[in-house]
């Protein structure tokens, strides 16, 4: 019963923060709501007794949102951070709503067509040993993740360098 109550609380926090994250026009508020979403997802992992994933969620993604704060402060002008230069066009809102609806229909179609929802219920509820998770994270074979981690790290490094190049002010 307590797990169900915690799940409902975390679900409300995640959904509310996610909606506020995408609807707010201020970048610092959006990053803060994103941080709440990530902490809520970590709470779900802890609720399911996936402590490794919960700790990784907090350390990696919450740290990433902290970097987002730093780059938001560096890249966005002072007037925009204070909320003085914000305009939302109605056509963009309508286009975004239509695009979101198309995405939702596509996801629902794929889920129902491939029966992912029913396949998860057929799996036995067994715990994966930490040794298997560690081997999958550092292995280079098929369905192992060392190469994707390396590509992601190079991509993030390129983003950081690009952000610094954009943030650097040229003297005239």
């Amino acid at each position: 019963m307590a797990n169900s109550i915690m799940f409902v609380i975390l679900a409300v926090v995640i959904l509310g923060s996610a909606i506020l994250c995408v609807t707010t026009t201020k970048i610092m508020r959006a990053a803060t709501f994103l941080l709440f979403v990530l902490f809520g997802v970590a709470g779900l992992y802890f609720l399911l007794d996936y402590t490794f994933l919960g700790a990784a969620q907090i350390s990696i993604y919450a740290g990433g949102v902290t970097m987002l704060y730093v780059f938001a402060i560096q890249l966005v002008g002072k007037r925009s951070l204070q909320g003085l230069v914000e305009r939302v066009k109605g056509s963009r809102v309508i286009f975004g709503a239509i695009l979101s609806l198309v995405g939702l229909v596509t996801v629902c179609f794929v889920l129902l067509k491939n029966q992912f929802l029913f396949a998860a219920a057929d799996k036995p509820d067994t715990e994966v040993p930490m040794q298997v998770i560690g081997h999958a994270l550092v292995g280079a074979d098929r369905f192992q993740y060392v190469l994707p981690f390396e590509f992601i790290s190079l991509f993030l490094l390129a983003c950081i360098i690009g952000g610094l190049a954009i943030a650097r002010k040229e003297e005239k």
Side-chain angles (χ1 to χ4, degrees):
M1 182 65 179
N3 283 343
S4 298
I5 293 172
M6 276 308 296
F7 174 77
V8 169
I9 291 171
L10 286 172
V12 168
V13 168
I14 290 170
L15 289 175
S17 297
I19 290 170
L20 289 172
C21 179
V22 297
T23 56
T24 186
T25 56
K26 298 184 178 176
I27 190 166
M28 297 306 284
R29 287 185 184 171
T32 303
F33 290 130
L34 179 63
L35 188 63
F36 290 151
V37 169
L38 295 174
F39 277 134
V41 171
L44 286 179
Y45 287 143
F46 286 125
L47 189 63
L48 293 170
D49 289 332
Y50 293 143
T51 55
F52 175 75
L53 288 177
Q57 176 81 13
I58 289 175
S59 64
I60 294 171
Y61 293 112
V65 171
T66 306
M67 289 303 298
L68 183 68
Y69 276 125
V70 170
F71 281 112
I73 291 170
Q74 286 181 352
L75 297 176
V76 177
K78 182 179 179 182
R79 292 176 53 98
S80 179
L81 281 176
Q82 293 173 347
L84 300 176
V85 206
E86 296 175 1
R87 293 182 186 96
V88 178
K89 293 183 179 178
S91 61
R92 283 189 169 185
V93 172
I94 293 171
F95 179 71
I98 291 171
L99 197 61
S100 298
L101 187 62
V102 168
L104 177 68
V105 167
T106 303
V107 167
C108 290
F109 176 74
V110 168
L111 282 176
L112 294 175
K113 180 180 179 265
N114 294 321
Q115 299 179 350
F116 287 135
L117 300 174
F118 308 113
D122 295 339
K123 290 276 188 186
D125 192 20
T126 59
E127 185 174 334
V128 178
M130 188 59 72
Q131 185 177 13
V132 173
I133 293 174
H135 188 270
L137 287 177
V138 296
D141 294 333
R142 188 173 181 184
F143 302 119
Q144 294 180 343
Y145 298 104
V146 75
L147 291 176
F149 278 157
E150 290 300 323
F151 286 130
I152 289 172
S153 67
L154 289 175
F155 176 71
L156 289 175
L157 179 64
C159 290
I160 290 171
I161 291 171
L164 290 173
I166 292 172
R168 185 177 55 127
K169 297 185 183 196
E170 296 182 18
E171 295 180 22
K172 294 181 180 179

